[in-house]
């Protein structure tokens, strides 16, 4: 629950100090040290405190007071996490918007990684009938199993809040030549504008998403 260390400050007299730090953040990590009748000369360098923020602004009659021992507020606003980086006596305005371009870039990166994997599997399991050259994993049943599972997961349906966005191809993805993925950004943007929550669930929801 705590850690201790001896520090040397370079001075000749009393050049060593003992520091004791709590490993638990916030008020619940406050340390109480009982040295009995011995005066250890201890002093508090940093007091255990929770981060406090009010939700509602300075002109709000009954603002909501939120506290956190980790400097992160999670759950106050659905789908939003606040990282409290510094203290402020002024109102801070937080604007939340959908990052459609960022999501598209993440999908493009996924497509690249997926295609790299497919290309590598095809290369290692290939057979050239003209030269009779074989890939290192030609005929390996494990490679065939991995490929079939990848194709199955790309083609199968998933459970989302929008029945029209329950396949990867409904969010702009499709299998092309050589079973490599292709990304249609226009189709993705149309699906995302119609139902951003369903697109998020399609890719990220535990158990029922891709």
């Amino acid at each position: 629950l705590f850690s201790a260390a001896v520090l040397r400050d370079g001075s000749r007299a009393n050049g060593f100090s003992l520091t004791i730090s709590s490993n638990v953040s916030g008020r619940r990590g406050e340390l109480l040290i009982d040295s009995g009748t011995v005066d250890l000369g201890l002093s508090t360098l940093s007091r255990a405190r929770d981060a406090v923020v009010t939700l509602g602004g300075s002109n709000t009659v009954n603002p909501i007071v939120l506290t956190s021992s980790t400097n992160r507020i999670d759950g106050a606003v659905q789908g939003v996490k606040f990282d409290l980086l510094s203290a402020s006596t002024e109102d801070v305005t937080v604007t939340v918007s959908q990052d459609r371009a960022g999501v598209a870039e993440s999908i493009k990166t996924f497509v690249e990684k997926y295609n790299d994997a497919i290309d590598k599997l095809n290369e290692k399991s290939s057979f050239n009938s003209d030269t009779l050259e074989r890939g290192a994993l030609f005929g390996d049943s494990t490679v065939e199993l991995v490929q079939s599972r990848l194709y199955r997961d790309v083609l199968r349906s998933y459970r989302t809040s929008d029945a029209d966005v329950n396949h990867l191809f409904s969010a702009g993805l499709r299998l092309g030549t050589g079973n490599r993925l292709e990304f249609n950004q226009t189709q993705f943007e149309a699906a995302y504008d119609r139902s951003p929550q369903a697109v998020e669930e399609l890719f990220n929801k535990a158990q029922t998403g891709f």
Side-chain angles (χ1 to χ4, degrees):
L1 297 179
F2 68 91
S3 57
V6 176
L7 301 180
R8 184 173 183 178
D9 60 17
S11 61
R12 293 184 177 180
N14 299 324
F16 294 91
S17 299
L18 173 67
T19 63
I20 303 175
S21 304
S22 174
N23 295 332
V24 180
S25 61
R27 289 188 60 186
R28 64 192 182 96
E30 182 177 10
L31 291 177
L32 299 176
I33 301 175
D34 183 3
S35 61
T37 59
V38 180
D39 182 9
L40 298 178
L42 297 177
S43 60
T44 301
L45 298 178
S46 179
R47 192 170 300 280
R49 292 180 295 182
D50 287 344
V52 180
V53 64
T54 56
L55 186 64
S58 57
N59 295 324
T60 304
V61 178
N62 295 309
I64 300 174
V65 179
L66 305 172
T67 63
S68 171
S69 62
T70 62
N71 287 345
R72 168 167 285 192
I73 302 293
D74 187 6
V77 178
Q78 184 176 0
V80 179
K81 296 179 181 179
F82 298 99
D83 287 320
L84 310 178
L85 303 180
S86 61
S88 174
T89 57
E90 303 293 331
D91 290 348
V92 177
T93 301
V94 178
T95 302
V96 180
S97 61
Q98 299 287 353
D99 185 13
R100 188 179 66 178
V103 176
E105 286 302 315
S106 295
I107 295 177
K108 289 179 182 178
T109 300
F110 159 69
V111 169
E112 293 174 1
K113 299 297 184 183
Y114 180 93
N115 288 338
D116 286 345
I118 293 299
D119 291 344
K120 184 63 68 175
L121 287 171
N122 289 337
E123 174 191 343
K124 296 301 182 181
S125 60
S126 63
F127 174 73
N128 190 317
S129 58
D130 295 327
T131 63
L132 301 182
E133 184 178 357
R134 302 182 180 188
L137 298 176
F138 174 72
D140 192 316
S141 60
T142 302
V143 175
E144 297 176 359
L145 178 63
V146 171
Q147 288 175 319
S148 65
R149 287 183 175 177
L150 286 173
Y151 303 150
R152 180 195 64 190
D153 288 342
V154 167
L155 295 173
R156 60 166 287 199
S157 63
Y158 295 91
R159 191 163 67 248
T160 71
S161 55
D162 185 344
D164 292 330
V165 187
N166 60 359
H167 290 80
L168 294 189
F169 62 73
S170 60
L173 292 175
R174 65 181 293 271
L175 283 178
T177 305
N179 286 318
R180 301 175 89 253
L181 276 178
E182 299 175 355
F183 178 53
N184 185 317
Q185 186 159 340
T186 300
Q187 186 178 355
F188 158 75
E189 290 176 352
Y192 193 81
D193 289 342
R194 181 178 67 250
S195 186
Q197 179 180 344
V199 172
E200 180 179 346
E201 293 170 348
L202 176 66
F203 285 97
N204 293 330
K205 192 170 184 179
Q207 306 302 323
T208 60
F210 177 76

